[in-house]
């Protein structure tokens, strides 16, 4: 099933089509075909749109923006920061879980899979949706940002207040797409080991997101994964 066929089955289709070039999906399919002929790409084609397929627009309450997928085999799932349990937990996810336990006083998750968050309305969106094997950020500025910027703009246009969690300078550059009069933006350092001690730890994004949702009459996220 093509990207277009998959998205037509979701509530993302119409609002995104209003923002995308008419030939966007044709070009995206062509790009993936060309890149896959050169090198393995991640995630697998069936998982490239997982963020949108797992979290309907009508259910979005929190958006966590990543840069691009993990670039080693079997890691990327199409959800930012999430990996299957069969692979080693990446350092950024280790630090996300450290902050989660400190922020909420919950046990550290035993799973690496963030799908339960996505199913509650946490849009786990990478700005770039694919990556070639062992070449981080090599698919930047190849067209994915047209789609993912449109996704952020569409969420921003929704009347229901949401929380945008922007970790690091790259994610924070997307704040321009969000109406701060309508939604909450939480900014901090990236959870990477290179920057987590510069403001990520202690930023309490999980409790702050839930406080905002509760204050605006929206169901809170159960951040526990086990």
């Amino acid at each position: 099933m093509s990207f277009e066929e998959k998205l037509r089955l979701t509530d993302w289709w119409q609002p995104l089509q209003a923002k995308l070039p008419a030939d966007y999906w044709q070009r995206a399919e062509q790009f993936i075909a060309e890149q896959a002929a050169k090198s393995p790409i991640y995630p697998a084609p069936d998982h490239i749109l997982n963020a949108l397929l797992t979290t309907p627009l009508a259910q979005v309450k929190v958006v966590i923006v990543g840069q691009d997928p993990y670039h080693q085999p079997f890691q990327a799932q199409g959800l930012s920061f999430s990996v299957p349990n069969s692979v080693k937990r990446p350092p950024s996810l280790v630090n996300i879980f450290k902050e989660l336990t400190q922020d909420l006083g919950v046990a550290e998750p035993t799973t690496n899979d963030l799908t339960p968050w996505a199913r509650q309305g946490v849009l786990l969106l990478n700005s770039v949706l694919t990556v070639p094997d062992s070449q981080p950020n090599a698919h930047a500025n190849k067209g994915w940002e047209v789609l993912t910027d449109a996704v952020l703009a569409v969420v921003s246009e929704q009347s229901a207040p949401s929380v945008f969690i922007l970790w690091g300078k790259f994610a924070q550059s997307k704040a321009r797409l969000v109406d701060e009069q309508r939604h909450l933006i939480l900014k901090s350092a990236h959870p990477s080991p290179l920057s987590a001690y510069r403001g990520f730890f202690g930023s309490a994004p999980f409790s702050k997101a839930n406080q905002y949702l509760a204050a605006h009459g929206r169901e809170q996220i159960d951040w526990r994964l086990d």
Side-chain angles (χ1 to χ4, degrees), residues 150-164:
V151 168
L152 294 173
V154 164
V155 176
S156 178
E157 290 168 2
Q158 303 306 296
S159 58
S162 295
V163 181
F164 289 76

Side-chain angles (χ1 to χ4, degrees), residues 14 33 56-57 63 83 93 115 123 125 129 180 205 207 214-215:
Q14 289 190 345
L57 173 59
V63 182
V83 296
L93 188 57
T115 301
L123 181 64
L125 183 71
L129 297 186
E180 292 192 64
S207 61

Side-chain angles (χ1 to χ4, degrees), residues 77-100:
Q77 294 179 298
L79 304 174
S80 61
F81 298 102
S82 180
V83 296
N85 291 324
S86 57
V87 302
K88 183 179 179 181
R89 184 173 295 175
S92 290
L93 188 57
V94 169
N95 287 337
I96 288 169
F97 286 168
K98 285 181 179 178
E99 179 61 19
L100 175 68

Side-chain angles (χ1 to χ4, degrees), residues 29-41 130 132 138-139 142:
E29 298 279 0
Q30 182 178 354
F31 173 74
I32 291 300
E34 291 173 351
Q35 296 302 312
K38 299 176 185 177
S39 164
I41 60 171
T130 58
H139 284 175
K142 303 295 186 182

Side-chain angles (χ1 to χ4, degrees), residues 35-111:
Q35 296 302 312
K38 299 176 185 177
S39 164
I41 60 171
Y42 308 126
D46 284 348
H47 294 160
I48 290 172
L49 296 181
N50 262 5
L52 302 180
L53 299 178
T54 307
T55 309
L57 173 59
Q59 294 180 15
V60 173
K61 292 181 282 189
V62 177
V63 182
I64 298 179
V65 177
Q67 187 161 350
D68 68 332
Y70 298 115
H71 58 270
Q72 293 299 315
F74 312 116
Q75 290 182 309
Q77 294 179 298
L79 304 174
S80 61
F81 298 102
S82 180
V83 296
N85 291 324
S86 57
V87 302
K88 183 179 179 181
R89 184 173 295 175
S92 290
L93 188 57
V94 169
N95 287 337
I96 288 169
F97 286 168
K98 285 181 179 178
E99 179 61 19
L100 175 68
T101 61
Q102 177 65 32
D103 184 9
L104 299 182
V106 299
E108 181 177 329
T110 60
T111 182

